[in-house]
Amino acid sequence: MVAQRAAPAETGSGRQFDLGQLEVGGRRSRFPEVALGLLLIVGSALGALAWQTFNSSNRLVLAARNAVAVGEVVSADHLQSVELASDDVLNVLADTDVELLVGQVALVDIAPGTLMTVDLVGPAVDLPAGQAEVGISVELADLPDRAAVSGAVVDVILMPTAAEGADLFAVDDVVLVGRAVVVEAVVDGPVVRLALSVPDDDAARIARAASLDRVRLIAVSDSADGNTASGDTDEVEEDAGS
């Protein structure tokens, strides 16, 4: 079947108007407006990101990656950089301050994730020949005030167990080490963590006794002639009696 084309319509002026020759304008493209909108959105997002980058309070600080035991030398492997978001002035070290920690000795037990400060470490001191350094923990209530400071001189006492009886006057051989020196003392709540300088032959015995909570400290004079020997006391009494 062949479609027949309609005859041209006549206008008032007698001219024929052919609808088939009428040009229909094409639909206008909206691509430029869409592209401009996308450009504005992307530009706004990049601007917000840049503003956040330059105005953010986030900073990189140093934290412990692994646990560091008291007395252990801190190495770079013990440390990690973490992001801290705060505008406050905090006692923390920037991740560029690694040299302030590496090679130092931990003054307390440092748990993983702890934000590092210079107060947690101290300089490594070479021990004299024949000396050792041993760490113990003592309840603050059981420690004389003058024994909880660096440089204090103390006697290390071995406490009895229940199996040994409760003869509190049997004090022979209870002094594990006499005149030990407190190298470092750190108060941690109800506990005082101490580093004692002792003869290396006695360090293992003190460490074993401390693990069983059988160690107590007595503050003594820091001068060698501060105590009078018992024999001298007897001689004084005999002279007084005569």
Side-chain angles (χ1 to χ4, degrees):
M1 179 176 181
V2 179
Q4 295 182 354
R5 184 175 180 182
E10 293 185 1
T11 62
S13 60
R15 296 181 56 189
Q16 293 182 345
F17 183 75
D18 189 354
L19 294 177
Q21 297 177 355
L22 180 64
E23 294 185 359
V24 180
R27 178 176 296 178
R28 182 182 178 185
S29 175
R30 300 184 59 85
F31 178 77
E33 289 86 346
V34 174
L36 180 60
L38 291 176
L39 182 61
L40 291 176
I41 294 174
V42 173
S44 299
L46 291 177
L49 180 60
W51 180 89
Q52 183 179 7
T53 300
F54 289 106
N55 294 276
S56 175
S57 58
N58 293 358
R59 48 182 167 158
L60 292 176
V61 299
L62 290 174
R65 180 195 307 274
N66 305 313
V68 186
V70 58
E72 187 176 358
V73 178
V74 179
S75 67
D77 293 336
H78 289 130
L79 306 173
Q80 63 178 336
S81 296
V82 297
E83 191 172 5
L84 179 66
S86 177
D87 291 326
D88 298 330
V89 178
L90 301 176
N91 182 26
V92 293
L93 292 175
D95 65 336
T96 56
D97 295 330
V98 177
E99 70 279 358
L100 298 179
L101 300 175
V102 174
Q104 300 290 302
V105 174
L107 301 179
V108 296
D109 290 330
I110 302 174
T114 301
L115 297 181
M116 299 298 295
T117 70
V118 293
D119 301 326
L120 299 177
V121 299
V125 180
D126 292 335
L127 293 173
Q131 289 293 111
E133 199 169 291
V134 60
I136 65 173
S137 296
V138 180
E139 293 289 334
L140 182 60
D142 297 331
L143 192 68
D145 291 341
R146 67 179 60 215
V149 295
S150 299
V153 180
V154 297
D155 284 349
V156 183
I157 307 301
L158 178 65
M159 302 301 293
T161 64
E164 295 172 350
D167 187 358
L168 301 180
F169 299 98
V171 294
D172 294 338
D173 300 326
V174 299
V175 179
L176 283 175
V177 175
R179 309 188 62 76
V181 178
V182 177
V183 178
E184 193 73 35
V186 178
V187 179
D188 185 11
V191 175
V192 183
R193 304 181 187 275
L194 301 119
L196 303 179
S197 178
V198 299
D200 52 10
D201 293 337
D202 299 317
R205 294 194 301 147
I206 294 176
R208 287 172 62 88
S211 68
L212 300 175
D213 193 26
R214 295 186 59 189
V215 168
R216 295 294 183 273
L217 301 181
I218 298 176
V220 298
S221 173
D222 59 358
S223 59
D225 57 354
N227 296 327
T228 303
S230 58
D232 295 339
T233 303
D234 294 339
E235 292 178 2
V236 171
E237 291 178 351
E238 291 176 1
D239 293 341
S242 62

